[in-house]
Amino acid sequence: MEIRQAPAHYVGVDGCKGGWFAVSLTKDGGLTGTVYPDIAVLMAACKPAAPVLIDIPIGLPDREKRQVESLARQRLGPRAYSVFPVPSRAALQADDYPMACQVNREKMGKALSKQSWFIGPKILEVDAYLAAHPHAQASLRECHPELAFWALGGGQPMAHAKKTQEGQQARLALLSAWVSDAEAFFQETLKQYKRKDLLADDILDALCLAITASHYPDWGQLPESMQYDLRVLPMEMVYSTRRLTKG
């Protein structure tokens, strides 16, 4: 990925009930958060931000499964279940869940999970956006929040699930160690949006991705040897390679 000019801010994006939640982080630690109705509106608003990290699969398999999910699970221990197999592009274009399972069995040798099917519209939304805006492929990259938390925590997976009180407190403490205003931003954003549009873990995930984005170019990627789909989209996840400094 080549950034031709210094970005004004860095963005982390998570899908939410209201659409897409984007956290913008400036170089001086300033934070803003906005729910956008679709990815095209979000990307237009983010300019000239680079890079933008998003929690959604980019690069969809045809018959050979993506390598990145198994590699991420190896690192996540108790959080490994949060990384699910990505269905084929053809399965996500099916009219209903039973048909999608049938298509995925034909393509990938197994049915797809309900979780995959439910987020299918968002996967296809991003897939269609990148097909229509190939220039965006350089800045819009995939990043799984649990892998991002693992990296920001020095290679340690989070001990508790993100929807538990313990899990949210631990994640917020880790993010606050990287950005001092993280907790104030989190609490203010909770007040700003209704839970029908945005959940607490959506905020934490997007903020984690924004912090990871701000560490560019100090990134690692899984797999190390790039794998591409039929549209030449990378099937990867990026993560930060920086470490917290004391004092």
Side-chain angles (χ1 to χ4, degrees):
M1 173 181 173
E2 179 184 357
I3 303 299
R4 296 183 178 179
Q5 60 180 9
H9 53 147
Y10 304 86
V11 179
V13 181
D14 191 43
C16 64
K17 294 181 179 179
W20 299 93
F21 180 62
V23 173
S24 174
L25 173 61
T26 63
K27 286 190 172 182
D28 61 2
L31 290 164
T32 56
T34 306
V35 172
Y36 293 94
D38 60 61
I39 198 68
V41 174
L42 185 156
M43 290 298 290
C46 285
K47 294 178 180 179
V52 179
L53 298 186
I54 188 168
D55 176 23
I56 205 72
I58 293 175
L60 303 179
D62 178 48
R63 295 189 180 276
E64 181 181 355
K65 71 176 183 179
R66 301 187 353 153
Q67 300 169 10
V68 62
E69 277 72 34
S70 61
L71 294 172
R73 290 189 200 102
Q74 292 173 16
R75 288 157 174 77
L76 292 180
R79 303 275 72 76
Y81 69 87
S82 67
V83 181
F84 56 89
V86 175
S88 66
R89 185 178 283 110
L92 292 177
Q93 293 169 337
D95 291 335
D96 54 40
Y97 179 63
M99 179 59 70
C101 286
Q102 179 180 332
V103 172
N104 213 62
R105 286 191 192 98
E106 295 170 354
K107 291 283 189 178
M108 307 293 295
K110 62 185 298 184
L112 71 162
S113 67
K114 279 288 185 69
Q115 185 180 17
S116 299
W117 175 250
F118 288 146
I119 70 166
K122 287 192 181 297
I123 297 176
L124 290 177
E125 181 184 349
V126 173
D127 190 55
Y129 176 83
L130 288 172
H133 303 83
H135 63 279
Q137 295 176 20
S139 58
L140 185 62
R141 305 283 290 275
E142 179 181 345
C143 180
H144 193 288
E146 290 303 312
L147 185 68
F149 276 113
W150 165 87
L152 293 178
Q156 292 294 321
M158 303 304 297
H160 302 282
K162 66 181 182 179
K163 291 188 179 294
T164 65
Q165 183 175 3
E166 297 89 347
Q168 290 180 2
Q169 289 176 342
R171 284 164 176 77
L172 188 55
L174 177 57
L175 297 177
S176 296
W178 284 100
V179 176
S180 60
D181 289 341
E183 183 166 2
F185 168 78
F186 174 74
Q187 298 297 342
E188 185 59 34
T189 306
L190 278 178
K191 296 176 184 177
Q192 182 180 357
Y193 289 99
K194 297 180 179 179
R195 298 295 79 78
K196 69 179 181 66
D197 295 320
L198 185 67
L199 300 177
D201 58 281
D202 298 329
I203 304 171
L204 295 173
D205 285 351
L207 178 53
C208 179
L209 267 59
I211 293 172
T212 301
S214 74
H215 291 177
Y216 176 82
D218 298 330
W219 284 353
Q221 69 178 39
L222 296 177
E224 293 183 7
S225 180
M226 190 67 74
Q227 181 186 21
Y228 296 91
D229 75 356
L230 293 180
R231 294 184 181 175
V232 201
L233 292 172
M235 296 189 284
E236 62 163 359
M237 295 175 188
V238 302
Y239 58 90
S240 173
T241 58
R242 291 190 190 176
R243 294 292 178 262
L244 280 169
T245 56
K246 303 294 184 180

